[in-house]
Amino acid sequence: MKRVITISREFGSGGREFGRQLAEQLNIAYYDQEIIEEISKRTKLAEQYVEQIIEQKSVIPFPIHVGCRLHPYSFSNPILEQKQTIMMQQNQIICEMAEKSDCVIVGRCGDYILQHFHPYRIFIYAELEHRIKRCMERCTDHDRCSFSEMEKKILSVDKNRKKYYEFYTGKTWGNPLNYDLCINTTNVDLAEIISVFYKLFC
Amino acid sequence: MKRVITISREFGSGGREFGRQLAEQLNIAYYDQEIIEEISKRTKLAEQYVEQIIEQKSVIPFPIHVGCRLHPYSFSNPILEQKQTIMMQQNQIICEMAEKSDCVIVGRCGDYILQHFHPYRIFIYAELEHRIKRCMERCTDHDRCSFSEMEKKILSVDKNRKKYYEFYTGKTWGNPLNYDLCINTTNVDLAEIISVFYKLFC
């Protein structure tokens, strides 16, 4: 049986880091930026543009759960059409990657897109204050900001992720019933808990 | 450092079983019925009565988070006073137990009552259908009922737990932020996951 693990995460909770370390520990593939690179290759659109489209999320014109019934007017708008293409490519690439080998996939509604693989679905979250501190520690001189600016940024990213997830899947982002395991990373040493949790997949 | 583990759980999710097996695996105390027995001893009230008071929950007249500021009128009602006594005894006993040794405590707002012990707080939950099936498998000839009757019972117990928790703690029952780990037990072999999770406490 394939081990397909999907990670959903609140911004700043260390979900990406958790996914990367978990994949490393299990010695399986970790897909994140690779998905953007592959979409970029297939669509011949710049990686940065693809990333921007995926990050904006709220303007995508049809949810996964209504399948491919596109509104005819959508084709009258080339940007909308491009967005649809990018999102459809993303779904396809994620499925191909999971088909190819055991893997960890972070974000991108992976838990929903890959449901026929019966993935193990993890949600990583933490108290807001912890997430703000964590993000601020990681700031470079280039993107340094105040505590309240960081708080605003985190809440905004989370709001987008929530909208994106709910629009695409019709389910509530962060509702424990959508996941097999929800891990609070407040004041937690990620490496330490991964050294326990990875055994769930051995 | 003491290992104090609190388990909150949806009815029928196997939370009690999880707590019992986890304590066994860690070779630490498991407190559940013992709390009722001890309250009964101290108050000289029948165990069954104590249990009934604790299970009813919604009529308890003051939340933990407003401390011991009892409304003077409450003493004019002997049943209300008795309820208060039982709940205060329960809180005290839970603290004494956690003070005495490492332990697992199931339910009873343990995560909140024991917050000064910095307990590891686990929430156990599962899909409703799984919980109904699980409960029905455990029915005896004496308490057998239909699927829909069991569904009603489960939803009613959960509603009481939710009210109880929210009244006592001022927080939302089942909100992941109140716990360190939330485990979905739908179609899961409890013994198997406990054999992984107990290592978090070794």
Side-chain angles (χ1 to χ4, degrees), chain A residues 125 176 179-182 184 197, chain B residues 125 176 179-182 184 197:
Chain A
Y125 65 100
Y179 312 100
D180 298 295
L181 192 64
C182 305
N184 187 342
F197 287 126
Chain B
Y125 65 101
Y179 312 100
D180 298 294
L181 192 64
C182 305
N184 187 341
F197 287 128

Side-chain angles (χ1 to χ4, degrees), chain A residues 10 120-121 123 125-128 174-186 188 192-193 196-200, chain B residues 10 120-121 123 125-128 174-186 188 192-193 196-200:
Chain A
E10 288 183 344
Y120 194 85
R121 305 154 303 168
F123 186 71
Y125 65 100
E127 285 170 16
L128 181 59
N175 176 352
L177 274 173
N178 299 332
Y179 312 100
D180 298 295
L181 192 64
C182 305
I183 305 172
N184 187 342
T185 54
T186 308
V188 151
E192 206 174 290
I193 58 167
V196 170
F197 287 126
Y198 89 96
K199 290 185 182 134
L200 282 170
Chain B
E10 288 182 344
Y120 194 85
R121 305 155 303 168
F123 186 71
Y125 65 101
E127 285 170 15
L128 181 59
N175 176 352
L177 274 174
N178 300 332
Y179 312 100
D180 298 294
L181 192 64
C182 305
I183 305 172
N184 187 341
T185 54
T186 308
V188 151
E192 207 174 288
I193 58 167
V196 171
F197 287 128
Y198 89 96
K199 290 183 182 134
L200 282 170

Side-chain angles (χ1 to χ4, degrees), chain B residues 97-109:
Chain B
M97 284 170 162
E99 187 68 57
K100 208 164 58 180
S101 71
D102 294 351
C103 60
V104 174
I105 288 180
V106 173
R108 304 183 164 79
C109 302

